[in-house]
Amino acid sequence: MENGFFGLSAGTFFAVIGVPVLITALLFYWGITFDSRFPETVEKKQKSAGGNGRTK
Amino acid sequence: MNFQTAVSWVMALGYFVFLIWIGIVASKKIKNFEGYIVAGRNIGFWVFTILVIASCMSGMTILGSSGLGFISGWPSIWEQVFVPLSCALTIFLFGTKLHRISSKTGYLTLQDYLAHRFDSPRLMRGLSGFAVFAVSLIYLVGQYTAVGITLQRVLHMDYSYAVIIGAVIVTFYVFLGGLYAVSWTSLVQGIILIVGVLIVAPVIIMKAGGLTHINQTMAAIDPNMIKAAYPQVHPPYAGYAFLTPVYIVSFALLLSLGLASAPHVINNVLAARKNSYFKWSPVAAFVIYVVVFYLIKIVGFAARTMVVDGVVKLPEGVANPQDFCFIVAVEHAFGPLIWTFFGMMVLAAVMSTTDRLLLTIGSSFAWDVYRNLLNPKATDESVTRVSRIVVFVSALISIVLALNPPKLLAWLIWMGIGVMLSVFVVPILAGLYWKGANRAGAVWSMTLGLIASFIFGYLGKFVLKLPFHFSFIPFIIAIVVMFVASKIGKPTSEKIIQETETGMFF
């Protein structure tokens, strides 16, 4: 498969594409777990949106 | 003056008038010093995200990066990963916590945090303020030089006039509008750059014969040009083959952490309106930047192919002809008239770093040196005034230096990033996440990191060729010194540890 990936070997192709994709996935994971790390940020958002702060 | 030059002048003047107008509008929003240097902590999500990206984008981003791709091929692609990663690290690794603390404590600069966390209001502030000032000034000269080269090429004018015109425009809107002006212009400049690259790069790659042909052409020059790294031999078998696995590791630390801790980048996190921005901003910044940056690098590969195929020629009689490859490729693919528009794109990338550097120098001197060290009773108005004066004076100094750029300017800029890695990264990271880090660790780590970076920077350039970037050793020294000195020195008080929310949170 010397020319199978736009003229790059499989190893090179997956290294140069895989590393940024892996970093993107890790940063995405940071995003989806953010609220559990900083619960007070969610509380503030709910209060400012008229959620818990108003009904209590 | 021919038609193309006339169109270039009209477009450039329109662009400059727009930037000046932003500066004037922004100046009306400034009510105090906080408004001037952190935009009243009121920057929205996308302006914040683009501001961080734009601060990292320098004259190197387009010209230098495509030029490195031109001579080194795929092994240089890691630059395209590490620089965008530095934006993400600034936001999530440093920014999330710094922003949370600053919203309670009111930090205006990174030095505020370091002085508080390490309970060293004078020594730590003075030491870090000096490093910020010196590194930013070196960097600024490099940016003004790039502004001059770009304007010279776009407007076909004398280099000296190009430097002066570019510098006057940037200085004017920074002087008036502070971070409001910098962030708004960065948004415009960032959008111009992103859209511009997304349009030009695919066309250039197609004109060069497609990615497969580009890679085959590079493989014919040197089979290692289409590998992920050059073979680990030292010294490298050719000047362009320096990106070996060991070098790439040191390059990763240098760019991803060194640039992330750069004062003109990290201070942006204090200006975000909400802490919730730190949730998605890291991935947004990384993805946008990595896509644009990959395309810029591949344009460098495409330009190499075009040169080999005899389609284009690089200019002769210039210092680094490969740095003109992006310009030459755009001119070939779109014609000289359209190049004018994309010349604005290159200019936007350069100016977006220049303005942030200028403001960083002004705020560091006015707030950290003048207000906190020299005149603690200074009023808000006088601090803002001093900041504006320093912006003006440092612009003048940089213009003079850029008119006759030092012969080792490129090395000085790399030296500057190396100094940031050796001086700032360890105290900031240890300060944020390690409760055991204390004043002795921070002061000694910073001092010895700074001294070691000068020593190894000199050795690496003039005495012996190192198999890695010189900053690798000073960085390791800074880590060891932080650990040992913190164990010996007096622990930080529990009150400060709590105020600064020190400790791991992930």
Side-chain angles (χ1 to χ4, degrees):
Chain A
M1 286 291 281
E2 184 60 33
N3 295 321
F5 298 91
F6 303 102
L8 296 176
S9 69
T12 303
F13 182 80
F14 286 111
V16 300
I17 298 297
V19 172
V21 168
L22 177 66
I23 293 171
T24 303
L26 290 171
L27 292 172
F28 189 76
Y29 176 75
W30 161 262
I32 57 175
T33 56
F34 185 88
D35 289 342
S36 61
R37 295 176 211 278
F38 306 106
E40 74 280 6
T41 308
V42 183
E43 275 172 32
K44 274 184 194 169
K45 211 189 291 177
Q46 284 171 337
K47 279 183 184 174
S48 63
N52 289 346
R54 206 176 275 178
T55 51
K56 265 181 186 175
Chain B
M1 185 184 284
N2 61 25
F3 178 67
Q4 187 209 335
T5 311
V7 172
S8 305
W9 272 93
V10 170
M11 287 184 71
L13 285 175
Y15 180 55
F16 292 156
V17 168
F18 181 64
L19 293 177
I20 289 170
W21 176 74
I22 288 179
I24 293 168
V25 173
S27 68
K28 291 175 182 161
K29 284 189 74 85
I30 295 168
K31 304 281 185 282
N32 51 27
F33 188 63
E34 189 183 47
Y36 188 69
I37 70 164
V38 289
R41 304 181 201 280
N42 198 27
I43 288 183
F45 180 86
W46 283 110
V47 178
F48 168 66
T49 304
I50 300 289
L51 177 64
V52 174
I53 294 175
S55 301
C56 288
M57 280 180 178
S58 63
M60 290 270 294
T61 303
I62 293 184
L63 305 181
S65 176
S66 53
L68 184 58
F70 183 94
I71 57 167
S72 293
W74 280 99
S76 66
I77 196 70
W78 301 110
E79 177 189 22
Q80 273 40 47
V81 177
F82 303 144
V83 175
L85 182 59
S86 76
C87 292
L89 291 179
T90 296
I91 300 167
F92 100 90
L93 190 60
F94 299 148
T96 313
K97 204 168 234 192
L98 277 176
H99 183 269
R100 279 166 56 87
I101 311 163
S102 70
S103 59
K104 289 184 288 185
T105 55
Y107 299 149
L108 291 177
T109 63
L110 172 68
Q111 291 86 286
D112 280 344
Y113 168 74
L114 293 172
H116 181 199
R117 168 64 182 84
F118 295 113
D119 196 15
S120 176
R122 296 187 73 83
L123 182 59
M124 199 67 197
R125 190 183 289 279
L127 197 59
S128 54
F130 167 75
V132 167
F133 192 75
V135 169
S136 300
L137 201 60
I138 292 170
Y139 223 71
L140 190 61
V141 176
Q143 298 308 312
Y144 274 142
T145 308
V147 168
I149 291 170
T150 311
L151 269 181
Q152 182 188 20
R153 184 82 187 184
V154 174
L155 300 180
H156 304 284
M157 65 192 303
D158 184 70
Y159 172 78
S160 308
Y161 291 122
V163 168
I164 293 169
I165 288 177
V168 166
I169 303 292
V170 176
T171 308
F172 186 81
Y173 71 71
V174 174
F175 184 90
L176 279 185
L179 193 64
Y180 276 116
V182 170
S183 57
W184 294 347
T185 53
S186 289
L187 183 68
V188 175
Q189 289 159 341
I191 290 171
I192 291 174
L193 181 69
I194 292 162
V195 173
V197 170
L198 291 177
I199 292 170
V200 299
V203 176
I204 292 170
I205 294 164
M206 277 194 300
K207 288 252 182 182
L211 197 51
T212 304
H213 175 65
I214 291 169
N215 286 329
Q216 285 167 344
T217 307
M218 287 199 297
I221 299 166
D222 180 345
N224 288 315
M225 284 183 84
I226 58 162
K227 301 252 170 78
Y230 282 101
Q232 185 63 55
V233 289
H234 186 73
Y237 63 85
Y240 61 82
F242 64 97
L243 286 154
T244 62
V246 169
Y247 195 94
I248 288 171
V249 170
S250 66
F251 209 44
L253 290 170
L254 175 73
L255 289 182
S256 57
L257 283 173
L259 203 52
S261 72
H264 69 281
V265 179
I266 198 169
N267 276 326
N268 292 323
V269 304
L270 304 176
R273 189 184 303 146
K274 295 178 186 171
N275 197 249
S276 58
Y277 294 170
F278 294 79
K279 181 178 179 180
W280 294 115
S281 185
V283 70
F286 180 78
V287 170
I288 293 169
Y289 203 170
V290 91
V291 169
V292 170
F293 217 18
Y294 258 61
L295 286 172
I296 290 170
K297 182 69 87 184
I298 296 172
V299 167
F301 304 159
R304 183 68 182 260
T305 304
M306 288 174 171
V307 169
V308 171
D309 290 344
V311 180
V312 297
K313 273 175 75 176
L314 293 186
E316 290 170 1
V318 293
N320 294 301
Q322 73 274 9
D323 288 350
F324 288 84
C325 75
F326 190 92
I327 296 171
V328 169
V330 175
E331 278 177 340
H332 169 71
F334 293 91
L337 199 58
I338 300 291
W339 149 247
T340 303
F341 174 74
F342 295 106
M344 295 299 127
M345 177 181 85
V346 179
L347 197 60
V350 182
M351 281 184 155
S352 64
T353 310
T354 310
D355 55 15
R356 191 63 184 95
L357 277 165
L358 209 48
L359 186 66
T360 302
I361 294 173
S363 58
S364 290
F365 188 88
W367 180 249
D368 296 302
V369 178
Y370 175 69
R371 164 67 171 71
N372 281 288
L373 294 180
L374 300 178
N375 186 6
K377 290 179 183 169
T379 61
D380 225 33
E381 290 76 27
S382 70
V383 178
T384 309
R385 193 164 52 244
V386 168
S387 186
R388 283 180 163 145
I389 291 168
V390 174
V391 162
F392 185 72
V393 171
S394 45
L396 270 183
I397 295 170
S398 311
I399 291 169
V400 171
L401 291 172
L403 286 175
N404 290 299
K407 282 184 181 157
L408 294 173
L409 182 62
W411 174 72
L412 279 172
I413 293 172
W414 281 109
M415 180 84 186
I417 304 176
V419 169
M420 291 174 205
L421 177 71
S422 316
V423 172
F424 290 114
V425 173
V426 176
I428 300 171
L429 274 183
L432 289 171
Y433 298 108
W434 183 37
K435 291 180 182 176
N438 57 25
R439 183 183 354 187
V443 169
W444 282 109
S445 162
M446 218 173 218
T447 308
L448 294 181
L450 185 65
I451 293 169
S453 62
F454 284 130
I455 292 171
F456 284 94
Y458 178 82
L459 286 178
K461 175 69 182 173
F462 299 105
V463 181
L464 70 164
K465 291 286 172 212
L466 300 167
F468 39 73
H469 191 268
F470 81 84
S471 59
F472 187 63
I473 298 176
F475 180 59
I476 300 298
I477 289 174
I479 293 173
V480 172
V481 170
M482 167 60 83
F483 183 77
V484 173
S486 291
K487 289 289 176 193
I488 296 169
K490 186 183 157 197
T492 309
S493 74
E494 193 54 38
K495 179 174 173 285
I496 289 178
I497 293 289
Q498 284 186 1
E499 283 171 354
T500 53
E501 300 191 20
T502 303
M504 298 299 291
F505 57 65
F506 58 92

